[in-house]
Amino acid sequence: MILNERDARHEHILQAARQIMTAARTAPKGKGIDIIEVALITDEEIKQLSDTMIKMVEEHGMKFFLRDADNILNAECVILIGTREQAQGLNCGHCGFSTCAGRTEGVPCALNSIDVGIAIGSACATAADLRVDTRVMFSAGLAAQRLNWLKDCKMVMAIPVSASSKNPFFDRKPKQENKD
């Protein structure tokens, strides 16, 4: 039997992505409370995410969303990592408020944000160990948050995954908006 790497690549990437998701899940959590959500999207969902990112440019004008929207189309899959908002009750003041009860609605608990960061770090370290290409994208994460793919998560980040001869998520040129 001869198995060409190109013929096995997609399934390999999905297997690697599953391991990356496990790494995000098993990453340490503040106070040991798990409020992290992790999911994987492929195919049509990647296209839907890209289309949503393009539409968002009209609202906020951040042109790099166009580049990132085009860029994720080069991914075999995209991993989404987010956190549900839940104050951890430490009254630590790290969020800028002296008590958890005094926090303004919509201001995330700092531990929630830190937990997402640790999960992303663990996920990306695993991706590096598996020799697959990734990049953390808040732009794609924000679009996934808008689509509510990670139910009720207030902070979502996206990690596109690829295995090609050159990492498609780096050395990127800005994409210009069509003026049609």
Side-chain angles (χ1 to χ4, degrees):
M1 173 168 100
I2 298 173
L3 177 62
N4 187 301
E5 177 272 334
R6 286 180 175 89
D7 298 331
R9 185 179 304 164
H10 183 70
E11 187 53 41
H12 170 71
I13 290 295
L14 294 180
Q15 284 295 353
R18 289 179 183 102
Q19 292 179 46
I20 293 166
M21 290 170 51
T22 299
R25 170 62 56 218
T26 60
K29 316 289 188 299
K31 290 183 65 180
I33 299 170
D34 187 0
I35 55 172
I36 297 293
E37 294 297 331
V38 184
L40 176 138
I41 64 168
T42 61
D43 305 319
E44 290 305 313
E45 286 76 17
I46 293 175
K47 176 71 170 110
Q48 184 180 357
L49 185 63
S50 176
D51 291 345
T52 300
M53 294 167 71
I54 291 167
K55 289 176 188 167
M56 291 173 72
V57 173
E58 297 169 12
E59 298 168 24
H60 55 55
M62 290 187 269
K63 301 276 191 220
F64 68 90
F65 272 55
L66 296 172
R67 177 201 60 207
D68 291 357
D70 187 50
N71 205 218
I72 66 170
L73 297 175
N74 294 309
E76 294 281 331
C77 63
V78 177
I79 297 169
L80 306 173
I81 302 175
T83 181
R84 293 185 313 278
E85 197 285 321
Q86 178 179 317
Q88 299 301 322
L90 293 177
N91 295 323
C92 66
H94 199 55
C95 65
F97 294 88
S98 58
T99 66
C100 295
R103 248 180 344 118
T104 301
E105 174 90 20
V107 173
C109 172
L111 290 181
N112 299 166
S113 302
I114 292 167
D115 285 351
V116 168
I118 293 169
I120 290 167
S122 185
C124 290
T126 300
D129 291 345
L130 296 171
R131 303 302 180 257
V132 295
D133 297 326
T134 62
R135 183 178 188 122
V136 178
M137 291 186 178
F138 100 88
S139 55
L142 189 60
Q145 182 176 329
R146 174 166 293 178
L147 291 164
N148 200 28
W149 284 344
L150 297 181
K151 300 292 184 224
D152 302 321
C153 283
K154 302 299 182 201
M155 178 187 299
V156 178
M157 302 298 260
I159 304 173
V161 184
S162 174
S164 57
S165 58
K166 183 185 176 313
N167 186 335
F169 312 122
F170 285 86
D171 300 331
R172 306 169 305 161
K173 299 208 178 346
K175 185 166 174 64
Q176 299 302 314
E177 192 171 12
N178 290 337
K179 300 291 182 190
D180 298 344

